[in-house]
Amino acid sequence: MAPTKAVVADDHLELPAGGKNTPLTNTIPISNVQTDIYGLEIWEGTLPIIDLGGLHGPRRSDTIKQLGHACQHYGGFMLKNHGISERLLSDIMSKAREFFHLPEEERMKLYSPDPTSLIRLATGFKDDNQNVFVSRESLKFHCHPIENYVNLWPTNPPSYREVVSEYCVAAKRAEITLLEAVFEGLGMERKSIDQILDNHGQYASLNYYPTCDKSNLGLTFGLRGHTDPTILTMLLPDEVPGLEILQDGDWVPVKPIPNTLIVHVGDVLQGLSNCRYKSLLHRVIVNSEKERLSIASYCYPSNDTQMGPPKELIDDDHPLIYKDYTYEEFYTTMWKQRLPDATRLDSFKVSAA
């Protein structure tokens, strides 16, 4: 698919999560990979491929540098050897598909328009102002610590709670390993890192994009262009393409790689990094032939965490861009302004004080 012009809408990981299950395999066609000026392997001209296993051994320093380049110059990356077993990746995707194939009246028991709900089903809608339809059904829920939320989750389909719990715990392990490395690469001191990692949450969503009639494809999105209000977002897509990222003013499709996660820099990391890293603007398109599913794990700080850049990131070459603010202040402002991208951070710029 040719790129299209941008339109934007108003605890460490030691062993593969999932125990002794089928080991993870990553088969990436060499012909689809190029090397950029930073030495990063780039998947089909879109995002770098990062090997999380490189953090455990003599390649740790090089891997941290690669993560820094990926966050700074691309806003995201493809993550392989993340430690989540192939069996578990298959199980969570199958369970998501089972859920969205339940009768509508069963799924709608979880519907809520309240974005602060601990679990809610969100459905598609029409934007009359822009004359477009957003065609996505998403089950969104808090999941860390698991024991605080699992009893709120559905019991249908069978084993839903067990499979989703296992996946969320595994994703969180990978997330913490990744965050340690990203923060270390930024030059953050241990105190600053602990402030974030000791006070953070996890939110997840199962996302379903139905097929769309060909006649409506021009007016229908899965999700319009946006950035995520997170530190990082880890996305597990199925085999159906649909995710697009903004590169040099064009929307470029990101083809999924089996058993590989797609990681987005979020707005919170942009703020923490003093704008060295930029959140990834992305959208989802739909198609007329195949339904599409994805599972997202969103990492965010606690409400009272101070989110301004740590002092060790500020010097003459990197003057302070964002003042101190809490995540609660950021989140509240985001919903008041209804901005879809990192302009949500503008209210917290030093120049806006």
Side-chain angles (χ1 to χ4, degrees):
M1 181 185 298
T4 55
K5 288 297 178 181
V7 178
V8 182
D10 283 337
D11 323 339
H12 283 290
L13 184 61
E14 297 175 356
L15 296 173
K20 299 180 180 179
N21 295 293
T22 306
L24 187 71
T25 58
N26 287 92
T27 304
I28 301 174
I30 299 299
S31 61
N32 297 68
V33 176
Q34 301 87 37
T35 302
D36 74 354
I37 61 174
Y38 309 103
L40 296 174
E41 294 184 336
I42 309 301
W43 173 244
E44 294 201 333
T46 57
L47 292 174
I49 301 171
I50 301 294
D51 183 353
L52 193 63
L55 293 174
H56 307 286
R59 294 189 291 116
R60 179 176 176 83
S61 178
D62 288 341
T63 302
I64 287 175
K65 288 179 182 177
Q66 291 175 352
L67 280 167
H69 285 311
C71 292
Q72 181 174 355
H73 301 289
Y74 295 89
F77 46 90
M78 316 290 284
L79 187 68
K80 67 178 184 177
N81 295 327
H82 41 68
I84 307 175
S85 71
E86 190 172 347
R87 187 273 306 167
L88 184 52
L89 296 175
S90 176
D91 284 354
I92 184 68
M93 194 62 72
S94 295
K95 201 56 60 177
R97 198 175 305 276
E98 285 181 49
F99 174 81
F100 290 113
H101 287 179
L102 290 173
E104 183 178 8
E105 60 268 24
E106 181 72 15
R107 304 194 311 275
M108 290 301 290
K109 292 176 181 178
L110 295 165
Y111 173 78
S112 171
D114 182 1
T116 65
S117 294
L118 297 179
I119 180 170
R120 70 184 184 103
L121 182 73
T123 58
F125 62 92
K126 183 178 181 184
D127 184 331
D128 291 321
N129 291 328
Q130 296 192 5
N131 193 33
V132 296
F133 187 75
V134 176
S135 180
R136 180 182 76 150
E137 199 166 300
S138 182
L139 184 63
K140 305 168 181 283
F141 50 95
H142 290 264
C143 49
H144 179 75
I146 288 286
E147 60 271 18
N148 288 1
Y149 303 107
V150 64
N151 289 333
L152 300 172
W153 300 354
T155 55
N156 191 15
S159 302
Y160 175 92
R161 291 181 177 180
E162 292 82 359
V163 171
V164 175
S165 292
E166 186 180 3
Y167 179 79
C168 289
V169 170
K172 174 55 67 177
R173 290 197 191 106
E175 206 170 71
I176 290 175
T177 299
L178 192 54
L179 284 171
E180 286 264 10
V182 168
F183 291 156
E184 183 179 333
L186 268 173
M188 288 173 59
E189 296 176 357
R190 187 70 247 178
K191 180 180 179 181
S192 300
I193 295 174
D194 289 343
Q195 180 185 1
I196 305 299
L197 295 185
D198 292 347
N199 298 282
H200 72 287
Q202 181 187 19
Y203 191 72
S205 65
L206 311 184
N207 309 301
Y208 175 74
Y209 303 93
T211 56
C212 175
D213 187 275
K214 285 185 177 181
S215 63
N216 293 324
L217 283 175
L219 298 174
T220 306
F221 290 90
L223 278 175
R224 289 177 290 178
H226 68 287
T227 58
D228 293 340
T230 60
I231 304 175
L232 290 175
T233 298
M234 291 185 7
L235 184 75
L236 172 65
D238 69 5
E239 74 283 359
V240 180
L243 175 68
E244 296 187 340
I245 62 174
L246 191 68
Q247 287 189 334
D248 299 323
D250 295 324
W251 288 111
V252 181
V254 180
K255 184 179 177 181
I257 304 174
N259 306 320
T260 302
L261 303 174
I262 303 172
V263 180
H264 303 172
V265 171
D267 297 339
V268 173
L269 183 52
Q270 177 171 322
L272 275 173
S273 71
N274 201 43
C275 221
R276 296 187 196 184
Y277 300 165
K278 302 292 180 65
S279 53
L280 185 65
L281 192 59
H282 58 285
R283 71 178 187 182
V284 178
I285 61 169
V286 294
N287 69 84
S288 61
E289 299 176 359
K290 288 185 177 182
E291 65 183 14
R292 179 179 180 271
L293 290 101
S294 67
I295 291 92
S297 175
Y298 309 96
C299 180
Y300 61 94
S302 63
N303 282 343
D304 59 352
T305 300
Q306 290 291 325
M307 299 311 303
K311 66 181 187 309
E312 59 268 27
L313 300 188
I314 309 304
D315 54 33
D316 290 341
D317 294 326
H318 304 92
L320 183 66
I321 295 175
Y322 300 109
K323 58 189 177 182
D324 281 342
Y325 59 97
T326 65
Y327 184 70
E328 184 174 26
E329 290 172 328
F330 168 74
Y331 193 79
T332 300
T333 299
M334 178 186 75
W335 281 102
K336 282 182 179 178
Q337 297 179 340
R338 296 280 178 171
L339 296 171
D341 55 30
T343 54
R344 303 160 177 151
L345 289 166
D346 288 354
S347 296
F348 305 102
K349 285 186 173 181
V350 172
S351 59

